[in-house]
């Protein structure tokens, strides 16, 4: 069972992702967070296998949260989820220790595949991000 922490500053997004992920037999959402600091606190306490983190969240953004989670919870892999397609956010996420980056406008199957891949220590980027991300790996 892959234990997942979901962090997004939009409640509807968090709830929708939780419902989507709970339909899979091998993924269990153990916590929800509305910002980066809350994600870090819950990751340190619950030690999820994977943290799915939105890049853009106040007051602590997802990139900073990813860096802190990887520092304090090295067994927790990070998968970024964002609408941001620019190289700065992608590069920043990779440099912060995220193993994957998925756009929010992709199908839920991409997210599920990404969680499964990063939980095993593999990198995962959807088709639209691969070309940009390849420059920073």
């Amino acid at each position: 069972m892959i234990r997942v922490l979901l962090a997004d500053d939009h409640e509807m997004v968090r709830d929708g992702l939780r419902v989507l992920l709970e339909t899979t037999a091998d993924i269990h959402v153990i916590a929800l967070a509305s910002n980066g600091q809350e994600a870090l606190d819950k990751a340190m306490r619950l030690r999820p296998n994977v943290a799915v983190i939105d890049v853009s969240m106040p007051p602590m953004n997802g990139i900073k949260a990813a860096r802190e989670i990887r520092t304090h919870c090295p067994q927790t892999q990070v998968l970024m989820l964002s609408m941001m397609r620019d190289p700065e956010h992608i590069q920043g996420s990779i440099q912060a220790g995220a193993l994957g980056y998925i756009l929010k406008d992709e199908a839920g199957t991409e997210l599920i595949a990404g969680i499964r891949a990063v939980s095993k220590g593999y990198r995962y980027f959807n088709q639209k991000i691969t070309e940009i991300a390849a420059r920073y790996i």
Side-chain angles (χ1 to χ4, degrees):
M1 182 68 69
I2 304 169
R3 300 170 66 243
V4 175
L5 163 69
L6 291 174
D8 193 290
D9 57 329
H10 295 99
E11 184 176 6
M12 185 180 299
V13 172
R14 286 191 312 271
D15 290 345
L17 292 174
R18 179 184 50 77
V19 169
L20 169 73
L21 296 176
E22 290 291 336
T23 65
T24 64
D26 60 335
I27 297 173
H28 177 64
V29 177
I30 61 168
L32 303 174
S34 62
N35 61 60
Q37 184 62 55
E38 187 180 355
L40 174 60
D41 294 345
K42 288 183 177 185
M44 290 176 61
R45 190 173 76 248
L46 300 171
R47 306 293 180 176
N49 303 109
V50 177
V52 176
I53 303 175
D54 181 19
V55 170
S56 180
M57 295 183 293
M60 179 192 289
N61 71 39
I63 294 172
K64 181 162 177 51
R67 182 174 290 111
E68 292 295 319
I69 288 170
R70 293 296 297 144
T71 298
H72 298 289
C73 310
Q75 77 287 353
T76 299
Q77 302 300 336
V78 175
L79 177 63
M80 303 305 282
L81 183 65
S82 182
M83 290 302 297
M84 309 291 190
R85 300 166 187 263
D86 59 279
E88 294 79 23
H89 284 96
I90 298 165
Q91 179 184 14
S93 296
I94 294 167
Q95 290 174 338
L99 286 183
Y101 196 105
I102 295 176
L103 296 171
K104 286 184 177 179
D105 61 1
E106 291 293 325
T109 54
E110 284 280 347
L111 178 60
I112 292 166
I115 289 170
R116 288 175 175 153
V118 302
S119 74
K120 296 175 184 173
Y122 300 120
R123 294 191 179 275
Y124 191 90
F125 302 98
N126 64 20
Q127 286 292 122
K128 296 175 185 174
I129 299 300
T130 299
E131 185 176 308
I132 298 168
R135 295 182 227 155
Y136 307 107
I137 296 175

